[in-house]
Amino acid sequence: MTDPGPAERYARAREAAALDRSHPRTADFAAAQRFTLDEFQLEGCRALEDGRSVLVAAPTGAGKTIVGEFAVHLAMQESGDKAFYTTPIKALSNQKFRELQDVYGADQVGLLTGDTNINGNARIVVMTTEVLRNMLYADSPALRGLRFVVMDEVHYLADRFRGAVWEEIIIHLPPSVRLVSLSATVSNAEEFGDWLDTVRGDTEVIVSETRPVPLEQHVLVRGDLLPLFDDRAGIATAQVNQELMRIRSFKGPSFEGNRRAQAASSARHAGYEATRRRPQRGGRRPVRSANVQRIERLDRPEVVELLARANLLPAIFFIFSRAGCDGAVQQVRRARVRLTSQEERAEIRAIVEERTRTLLDEDLAVLGYWEWLDNLERGVAAHHAGLLPAFKEVVEELFQRKLVKVVFATETLALGINMPARTVVLEKLEKFNGEARVAITSGEYTQLTGRAGRRGIDVEGHAVIQWTEGLDPQAVAALASRRTYPLNSSFRPTYNMAVNLIDQFGRARAREILESSFAQFQADRAVVGIARQVREQEESLSGYRKAMTCDRGDFTEYSAIRRELSDLEKLNRKDAGASRRTRDERQREIASLRKRMQRHPCHSCPDREQHARWAERYWKLERTIAKLRQQIDTRTGTVARIFDRVVDVLTRLEYVHVDADRTSLTPAGRTMRRIYGERDLLVAESLRRGLWNDLDAASLAALACCLVYEPRRDDGGPGERGLPRGAFRTAYAETLDLWQQLDDLEREYRLPGSEPVSAGLAQAMHSWARGAALDRVLEEADMAAGDFVRWSKQTIDLLDQLSIVADVPLATTARKALDAVRRGIVAYSGV
């Protein structure tokens, strides 16, 4: 691309000046930033200043959150205006809370994440999406004055378990609220934007596919970083590096000589002269490629040292298992790799001690604190869901401060947390999905490698794929070239959603609201395409009908008799095991059809078989059209039909009352309005039947845990002997029996039902609520500390709901249970 001439530069400058004059707030905000805003960021800010909502879809690390921050800035310009900043996960909320506090001060910023409530009446409140959804249904006073809502990581709308919450918020926010939707790059951003425009009004869709920091992609073969693409062929062609193709296919003794030549070429090409030096440490594992050649694969400590010499740290190694992450840290530790200076080690120790000072010494010992600290001081850490949240937060902070140089992480790190690196290493391009090992998708590849390249620090980011047996460079290139993935709705009506909608809007209006969901929008769009197919094929059908026209009679009628006769004869031949009576009846029907066919005027037509060939095409296409029409019937009004089934179940159980002209809530239905979660109906029905009234605090905590806990696939459950004793066992058995009844009822109404209640964590939660030591509880739970904390916080969330909606004795027990669970490592908060 040639540089613009003076005249073009002058014209652009005048255009920019005009935009600045027409959007003074955007101009002032942009001037106050530490870096020059990109055009897509400016577009988003200008749209907000013009009073429109925006959808910004851009790659990870592109800086789309600046548009959300501008919305907060606009809200703070007007007295009494508020802005809510929503995120899908608590770690993101905590991070954004601290960032906004730094800008606007602690008194102006609040945080609501279910288990944390800080300054909730502030003008700027950061929260998880579930908190905002609950506020909308409760018509919370905190919504008054709300002008902007930022929905960060809005592509979570596709999440199977939590995605519906995003759609509920988008549908129910007051029309006066401007929505700022921030999404990763998705291939159907325009479709999503069209839906937002439909339900929210004027919405600007801004799509950027440009990474702010270019990504260089390499394959690590032996000790050499070879470019994935041959840039000599030009970026547009994205041709795979032929050296990689030769390595994959080459057979013969001269491979080593070729490899050395390739190594020198690639090192000069990439500017990594240091990568040609071989690490001296042993421990390489030979890997057999798809042909017979053997390619030595570097151990992790060697890869870390190679990246360090090539100035490619800090790096994130994505390993798709927790055990793999922990094992990788141990490998580096055993190899005595140290990536930090003495000053950095002292700073790491000071930060760690400050962040963990509220944790008990005996708990720290159980958690392997001293070894973890030693690894941090070496500049190495693991990051996965099994890690204690306090430890994860420390790793994130140290990595952001460039003190930890290498993190071995599961893919959960790719979901939103601000931890960019210079390099991302993918050891494998497949992962275990719970049932089998599957290749990662192009969307996952983009999300993972999106961490590479720190804006304002790196000139370019680097993605490194390690050579493995059978690696196909063409397949890797295809994965790397596809940057987008579709955003598909996972929305479905729940019992809690139904009672809230009926209470606020009535049944008829509730159905209309649900029909405005993105799920129905997508289904209806699909219907438009299917209907077009039907119209096109009906034209063909009309042509076939003309082609088989017979001057002796109705050939359509005649061919229908022929088809019926043919189908019956085939059935008679196949169904040899039918009873004599059935076969005799069929023979009589076949004889009757044969007589009808022979007596039909078209049977004597000399062109009968030519007409019949057209008739065969006609009936085949008729079957295809019937199937397409069935698809239209099943997709049109899908969400509303599911809502009707949900309401039918609620009516049967007397949560709603249906008169001839209106549907209203019963007292039980009004209770259900405040019960959120996958088990809303089971919780509400258990409360109504008093199944948990005789439980003490520890037993209620254990039972609440049973309702939120999702066991691993290989978890067979604790058995009767592994359950807490006393009233718990009776209450659990009755709750399990109730679940079975409700599951049968749901299936009767053609609803999917739910997974059985699991007591796999009941004993451990019971012990924890009774004050047992952490080591004993983790042994009973047979799980990592981070997992136990996660399930404990979900248990707390349910106990909090019970303390609000249950009658006084049980509500009091729920509050005691909540306090008993929220202690020690569970009570820790990084904010």
Side-chain angles (χ1 to χ4, degrees), residues 129-130 132-134 136-137 151 157 162-173 195 200 491-494 496-498 500-501 513-514 517 676:
T129 40
E130 279 84 357
L132 178 54
R133 186 271 311 272
N134 298 352
L136 287 167
Y137 279 151
M151 300 194 78
L157 180 143
R162 300 173 57 212
V165 176
W166 276 256
E167 291 192 48
E168 289 178 82
I169 291 171
I170 291 167
I171 292 169
H172 293 308
L173 275 174
W195 174 68
R200 299 296 318 160
F491 184 83
R492 63 177 179 82
T494 64
N496 170 270
M497 188 191 303
N500 274 292
L501 287 173
I513 288 170
L514 292 173
S517 66
Y676 304 99

Side-chain angles (χ1 to χ4, degrees), residues 191 518-534 628 631-632 635-636:
E191 178 189 42
F518 187 45
Q520 192 58 57
F521 185 83
Q522 287 190 305
D524 289 342
R525 283 214 161 179
V527 163
V528 170
I530 296 170
R532 188 184 302 115
Q533 287 182 54
V534 169
L628 290 172
Q631 285 185 43
I632 291 174
R635 293 187 185 211
T636 305

Side-chain angles (χ1 to χ4, degrees), residues 471-507:
L471 185 80
D472 180 1
Q474 293 280 15
V476 178
L479 198 65
S481 300
R482 289 194 294 271
R483 297 280 181 218
T484 56
Y485 52 96
L487 178 63
N488 294 314
S489 172
S490 60
F491 184 83
R492 63 177 179 82
T494 64
Y495 298 104
N496 170 270
M497 188 191 303
V499 293
N500 274 292
L501 287 173
I502 289 169
D503 186 51
Q504 286 193 1
F505 306 106
R507 184 171 182 173

Side-chain angles (χ1 to χ4, degrees), residues 401-415:
R401 292 185 180 219
K402 307 175 202 170
L403 295 170
V404 163
K405 320 291 184 181
V406 172
V407 169
F408 297 97
T410 56
E411 68 267 37
T412 54
L413 179 61
L415 300 175

